[in-house]
mmCIF file of all heavy atoms in Angstrom:
data_model
loop_
_atom_site.group_PDB
_atom_site.id
_atom_site.type_symbol
_atom_site.label_atom_id
_atom_site.label_comp_id
_atom_site.label_asym_id
_atom_site.label_seq_id
_atom_site.Cartn_x
_atom_site.Cartn_y
_atom_site.Cartn_z
ATOM 1 N N GLN A 865 43.113 68.205 -35.673
ATOM 2 C CA GLN A 865 44.277 67.528 -35.128
ATOM 3 C C GLN A 865 44.008 66.913 -33.767
ATOM 4 O O GLN A 865 44.831 66.112 -33.286
ATOM 5 C CB GLN A 865 45.442 68.549 -35.002
ATOM 6 C CG GLN A 865 45.974 69.037 -36.334
ATOM 7 C CD GLN A 865 45.312 70.338 -36.781
ATOM 8 O OE1 GLN A 865 44.173 70.626 -36.418
ATOM 9 N NE2 GLN A 865 46.015 71.131 -37.584
ATOM 10 N N ASP A 869 44.987 62.150 -37.137
ATOM 11 C CA ASP A 869 46.373 62.383 -37.522
ATOM 12 C C ASP A 869 46.249 63.213 -38.796
ATOM 13 O O ASP A 869 46.241 62.708 -39.927
ATOM 14 C CB ASP A 869 47.100 61.098 -37.778
ATOM 15 C CG ASP A 869 48.552 61.297 -38.140
ATOM 16 O OD1 ASP A 869 49.014 62.433 -38.269
ATOM 17 O OD2 ASP A 869 49.264 60.289 -38.307
ATOM 18 N N TYR A 870 46.178 64.568 -38.663
ATOM 19 C CA TYR A 870 45.778 65.412 -39.766
ATOM 20 C C TYR A 870 46.833 66.463 -40.109
ATOM 21 O O TYR A 870 47.460 67.026 -39.191
ATOM 22 C CB TYR A 870 44.475 66.130 -39.313
ATOM 23 C CG TYR A 870 43.940 67.149 -40.311
ATOM 24 C CD1 TYR A 870 43.134 66.716 -41.356
ATOM 25 C CD2 TYR A 870 44.251 68.477 -40.216
ATOM 26 C CE1 TYR A 870 42.626 67.641 -42.293
ATOM 27 C CE2 TYR A 870 43.777 69.397 -41.138
ATOM 28 C CZ TYR A 870 42.941 68.979 -42.161
ATOM 29 O OH TYR A 870 42.436 69.877 -43.040
ATOM 30 N N GLY A 871 47.001 66.712 -41.392
ATOM 31 C CA GLY A 871 47.878 67.767 -41.872
ATOM 32 C C GLY A 871 49.178 67.256 -42.414
ATOM 33 O O GLY A 871 49.845 66.418 -41.803
ATOM 34 N N ILE A 872 49.538 67.757 -43.581
ATOM 35 C CA ILE A 872 50.757 67.259 -44.279
ATOM 36 C C ILE A 872 52.016 67.632 -43.469
ATOM 37 O O ILE A 872 53.036 66.941 -43.578
ATOM 38 C CB ILE A 872 50.833 67.812 -45.723
ATOM 39 C CG1 ILE A 872 51.834 67.064 -46.509
ATOM 40 C CG2 ILE A 872 51.107 69.326 -45.714
ATOM 41 C CD1 ILE A 872 51.780 67.267 -47.994
ATOM 42 N N SER A 873 51.974 68.700 -42.657
ATOM 43 C CA SER A 873 53.131 69.086 -41.939
ATOM 44 C C SER A 873 53.130 68.534 -40.506
ATOM 45 O O SER A 873 54.052 68.828 -39.725
ATOM 46 C CB SER A 873 53.240 70.609 -41.863
ATOM 47 O OG SER A 873 52.110 71.198 -41.183
ATOM 48 N N ASN A 874 52.124 67.774 -40.190
ATOM 49 C CA ASN A 874 51.985 67.201 -38.844
ATOM 50 C C ASN A 874 52.887 66.025 -38.686
ATOM 51 O O ASN A 874 52.718 64.959 -39.318
ATOM 52 C CB ASN A 874 50.511 66.783 -38.618
ATOM 53 C CG ASN A 874 50.255 66.226 -37.215
ATOM 54 O OD1 ASN A 874 51.201 66.105 -36.435
ATOM 55 N ND2 ASN A 874 49.066 65.883 -36.918
ATOM 56 N N ASN A 1010 43.602 80.965 -48.953
ATOM 57 C CA ASN A 1010 44.946 81.328 -48.464
ATOM 58 C C ASN A 1010 45.616 82.148 -49.567
ATOM 59 O O ASN A 1010 45.003 82.482 -50.595
ATOM 60 C CB ASN A 1010 45.764 80.077 -48.121
ATOM 61 C CG ASN A 1010 45.767 79.043 -49.228
ATOM 62 O OD1 ASN A 1010 46.302 79.278 -50.296
ATOM 63 N ND2 ASN A 1010 45.149 77.872 -48.967
ATOM 64 N N ARG A 1035 39.019 78.564 -43.668
ATOM 65 C CA ARG A 1035 39.896 77.501 -43.236
ATOM 66 C C ARG A 1035 41.021 77.367 -44.254
ATOM 67 O O ARG A 1035 41.058 77.964 -45.286
ATOM 68 C CB ARG A 1035 39.159 76.157 -43.121
ATOM 69 C CG ARG A 1035 38.680 75.607 -44.435
ATOM 70 C CD ARG A 1035 37.962 74.266 -44.277
ATOM 71 N NE ARG A 1035 37.533 73.724 -45.546
ATOM 72 C CZ ARG A 1035 36.402 74.004 -46.173
ATOM 73 N NH1 ARG A 1035 35.537 74.813 -45.595
ATOM 74 N NH2 ARG A 1035 36.081 73.451 -47.330
ATOM 75 N N SER A 1036 41.991 76.510 -43.947
ATOM 76 C CA SER A 1036 43.115 76.172 -44.825
ATOM 77 C C SER A 1036 44.026 77.395 -45.148
ATOM 78 O O SER A 1036 44.637 77.448 -46.192
ATOM 79 C CB SER A 1036 42.619 75.575 -46.129
ATOM 80 O OG SER A 1036 43.603 74.858 -46.802
ATOM 81 N N VAL A 1037 44.075 78.357 -44.189
ATOM 82 C CA VAL A 1037 44.908 79.533 -44.451
ATOM 83 C C VAL A 1037 46.387 79.188 -44.555
ATOM 84 O O VAL A 1037 47.140 79.897 -45.255
ATOM 85 C CB VAL A 1037 44.687 80.595 -43.356
ATOM 86 C CG1 VAL A 1037 45.253 80.142 -42.008
ATOM 87 C CG2 VAL A 1037 45.256 81.936 -43.769
ATOM 88 N N PHE A 1038 46.796 78.044 -43.969
ATOM 89 C CA PHE A 1038 48.188 77.603 -44.110
ATOM 90 C C PHE A 1038 48.329 76.435 -45.082
ATOM 91 O O PHE A 1038 49.392 75.876 -45.210
ATOM 92 C CB PHE A 1038 48.733 77.167 -42.733
ATOM 93 C CG PHE A 1038 48.639 78.237 -41.666
ATOM 94 C CD1 PHE A 1038 48.219 77.903 -40.381
ATOM 95 C CD2 PHE A 1038 48.998 79.535 -41.928
ATOM 96 C CE1 PHE A 1038 48.114 78.866 -39.385
ATOM 97 C CE2 PHE A 1038 48.907 80.501 -40.934
ATOM 98 C CZ PHE A 1038 48.471 80.168 -39.675
ATOM 99 N N LEU A 1039 47.239 76.109 -45.761
ATOM 100 C CA LEU A 1039 47.203 75.004 -46.742
ATOM 101 C C LEU A 1039 47.711 73.734 -46.057
ATOM 102 O O LEU A 1039 48.661 73.073 -46.521
ATOM 103 C CB LEU A 1039 47.995 75.356 -48.000
ATOM 104 C CG LEU A 1039 47.733 74.492 -49.249
ATOM 105 C CD1 LEU A 1039 46.235 74.555 -49.612
ATOM 106 C CD2 LEU A 1039 48.583 75.025 -50.400
ATOM 107 N N GLN A 1040 47.062 73.379 -44.946
ATOM 108 C CA GLN A 1040 47.418 72.188 -44.111
ATOM 109 C C GLN A 1040 48.871 72.262 -43.625
ATOM 110 O O GLN A 1040 49.491 71.267 -43.326
ATOM 111 C CB GLN A 1040 47.223 70.898 -44.894
ATOM 112 C CG GLN A 1040 45.755 70.449 -44.912
ATOM 113 C CD GLN A 1040 45.645 68.974 -45.220
ATOM 114 O OE1 GLN A 1040 46.572 68.175 -45.131
ATOM 115 N NE2 GLN A 1040 44.438 68.579 -45.647
ATOM 116 N N GLY A 1041 49.430 73.479 -43.515
ATOM 117 C CA GLY A 1041 50.799 73.655 -43.041
ATOM 118 C C GLY A 1041 51.844 73.653 -44.146
ATOM 119 O O GLY A 1041 53.019 73.898 -43.881
ATOM 120 N N LEU A 1042 51.413 73.377 -45.378
ATOM 121 C CA LEU A 1042 52.361 73.335 -46.484
ATOM 122 C C LEU A 1042 53.069 74.650 -46.701
ATOM 123 O O LEU A 1042 54.290 74.702 -46.975
ATOM 124 C CB LEU A 1042 51.645 72.931 -47.741
ATOM 125 C CG LEU A 1042 52.457 72.567 -48.971
ATOM 126 C CD1 LEU A 1042 53.321 71.377 -48.709
ATOM 127 C CD2 LEU A 1042 51.558 72.268 -50.172
ATOM 128 N N LEU A 1043 52.346 75.756 -46.497
ATOM 129 C CA LEU A 1043 52.958 77.049 -46.681
ATOM 130 C C LEU A 1043 53.977 77.385 -45.587
ATOM 131 O O LEU A 1043 54.841 78.279 -45.782
ATOM 132 C CB LEU A 1043 51.878 78.146 -46.646
ATOM 133 C CG LEU A 1043 51.011 78.289 -47.918
ATOM 134 C CD1 LEU A 1043 49.934 79.354 -47.706
ATOM 135 C CD2 LEU A 1043 51.849 78.631 -49.110
ATOM 136 N N LEU A 1044 53.908 76.727 -44.479
ATOM 137 C CA LEU A 1044 54.799 77.020 -43.384
ATOM 138 C C LEU A 1044 56.066 76.145 -43.384
ATOM 139 O O LEU A 1044 56.975 76.350 -42.581
ATOM 140 C CB LEU A 1044 54.090 76.792 -42.039
ATOM 141 C CG LEU A 1044 52.773 77.577 -41.831
ATOM 142 C CD1 LEU A 1044 52.214 77.345 -40.446
ATOM 143 C CD2 LEU A 1044 52.973 79.071 -42.125
ATOM 144 N N MET A 1045 56.108 75.167 -44.250
ATOM 145 C CA MET A 1045 57.260 74.246 -44.249
ATOM 146 C C MET A 1045 58.434 74.889 -44.981
ATOM 147 O O MET A 1045 58.261 75.550 -45.982
ATOM 148 C CB MET A 1045 56.882 72.948 -45.001
ATOM 149 C CG MET A 1045 55.736 72.204 -44.343
ATOM 150 S SD MET A 1045 55.212 70.709 -45.298
ATOM 151 C CE MET A 1045 56.568 69.597 -44.922
ATOM 152 N N ARG A 1053 56.920 65.706 -54.215
ATOM 153 C CA ARG A 1053 55.791 65.645 -55.183
ATOM 154 C C ARG A 1053 55.208 67.055 -55.491
ATOM 155 O O ARG A 1053 54.472 67.202 -56.441
ATOM 156 C CB ARG A 1053 54.704 64.732 -54.653
ATOM 157 C CG ARG A 1053 54.158 65.087 -53.288
ATOM 158 C CD ARG A 1053 53.129 64.092 -52.815
ATOM 159 N NE ARG A 1053 52.917 64.183 -51.370
ATOM 160 C CZ ARG A 1053 51.759 63.937 -50.786
ATOM 161 N NH1 ARG A 1053 50.730 63.590 -51.509
ATOM 162 N NH2 ARG A 1053 51.642 64.060 -49.501
ATOM 163 N N PHE A 1054 55.577 68.035 -54.635
ATOM 164 C CA PHE A 1054 55.070 69.363 -54.851
ATOM 165 C C PHE A 1054 56.057 70.213 -55.708
ATOM 166 O O PHE A 1054 55.862 71.447 -55.831
ATOM 167 C CB PHE A 1054 54.796 70.085 -53.527
ATOM 168 C CG PHE A 1054 53.615 69.505 -52.788
ATOM 169 C CD1 PHE A 1054 53.834 68.583 -51.750
ATOM 170 C CD2 PHE A 1054 52.304 69.847 -53.076
ATOM 171 C CE1 PHE A 1054 52.740 68.030 -51.058
ATOM 172 C CE2 PHE A 1054 51.250 69.326 -52.421
ATOM 173 C CZ PHE A 1054 51.452 68.428 -51.379
ATOM 174 N N GLY A 1093 44.614 75.917 -37.337
ATOM 175 C CA GLY A 1093 44.876 74.678 -36.626
ATOM 176 C C GLY A 1093 46.310 74.656 -36.098
ATOM 177 O O GLY A 1093 47.181 75.355 -36.587
ATOM 178 N N CYS A 1095 49.228 71.888 -33.745
ATOM 179 C CA CYS A 1095 49.516 70.581 -33.131
ATOM 180 C C CYS A 1095 50.175 70.728 -31.769
ATOM 181 O O CYS A 1095 50.419 69.748 -31.093
ATOM 182 C CB CYS A 1095 50.435 69.772 -34.045
ATOM 183 S SG CYS A 1095 49.689 69.299 -35.608
ATOM 184 N N LEU A 1129 45.614 73.370 -54.801
ATOM 185 C CA LEU A 1129 44.681 74.052 -53.898
ATOM 186 C C LEU A 1129 43.791 73.093 -53.098
ATOM 187 O O LEU A 1129 43.336 73.442 -52.008
ATOM 188 C CB LEU A 1129 43.823 75.041 -54.655
ATOM 189 C CG LEU A 1129 44.553 76.114 -55.497
ATOM 190 C CD1 LEU A 1129 43.574 77.024 -56.165
ATOM 191 C CD2 LEU A 1129 45.544 76.870 -54.599
ATOM 192 N N ASN A 1130 43.567 71.920 -53.648
ATOM 193 C CA ASN A 1130 42.659 70.937 -52.973
ATOM 194 C C ASN A 1130 43.458 69.769 -52.418
ATOM 195 O O ASN A 1130 43.877 68.897 -53.141
ATOM 196 C CB ASN A 1130 41.624 70.424 -53.995
ATOM 197 C CG ASN A 1130 40.577 69.520 -53.350
ATOM 198 O OD1 ASN A 1130 40.685 69.182 -52.171
ATOM 199 N ND2 ASN A 1130 39.621 69.092 -54.076
ATOM 200 N N PRO A 1131 43.632 69.776 -51.081
ATOM 201 C CA PRO A 1131 44.415 68.675 -50.445
ATOM 202 C C PRO A 1131 43.884 67.272 -50.777
ATOM 203 O O PRO A 1131 44.651 66.277 -50.716
ATOM 204 C CB PRO A 1131 44.337 68.961 -48.943
ATOM 205 C CG PRO A 1131 44.125 70.471 -48.898
ATOM 206 C CD PRO A 1131 43.252 70.748 -50.068
ATOM 207 N N ALA A 1132 42.621 67.151 -51.085
ATOM 208 C CA ALA A 1132 42.033 65.851 -51.385
ATOM 209 C C ALA A 1132 42.623 65.258 -52.638
ATOM 210 O O ALA A 1132 42.566 64.026 -52.883
ATOM 211 C CB ALA A 1132 40.509 65.970 -51.573
ATOM 212 N N TRP A 1134 45.968 65.690 -53.461
ATOM 213 C CA TRP A 1134 47.390 65.596 -53.328
ATOM 214 C C TRP A 1134 47.880 64.172 -53.533
ATOM 215 O O TRP A 1134 49.012 63.947 -53.914
ATOM 216 C CB TRP A 1134 47.867 66.122 -51.958
ATOM 217 C CG TRP A 1134 47.739 67.644 -51.840
ATOM 218 C CD1 TRP A 1134 47.424 68.511 -52.859
ATOM 219 C CD2 TRP A 1134 47.916 68.407 -50.709
ATOM 220 N NE1 TRP A 1134 47.401 69.796 -52.374
ATOM 221 C CE2 TRP A 1134 47.724 69.764 -51.047
ATOM 222 C CE3 TRP A 1134 48.219 68.101 -49.350
ATOM 223 C CZ2 TRP A 1134 47.794 70.801 -50.122
ATOM 224 C CZ3 TRP A 1134 48.323 69.155 -48.436
ATOM 225 C CH2 TRP A 1134 48.133 70.498 -48.821
#
Side-chain angles (χ1 to χ4, degrees):
Q865 294 92 334
D869 183 355
Y870 177 85
I872 194 167
S873 63
N874 181 358
N1010 52 65
R1035 66 178 182 273
S1036 199
V1037 69
F1038 304 136
L1039 199 56
Q1040 280 200 20
L1042 192 61
L1043 285 177
L1044 306 184
M1045 299 175 76
R1053 58 184 162 148
F1054 291 99
C1095 296
L1129 304 182
N1130 184 356
W1134 288 352

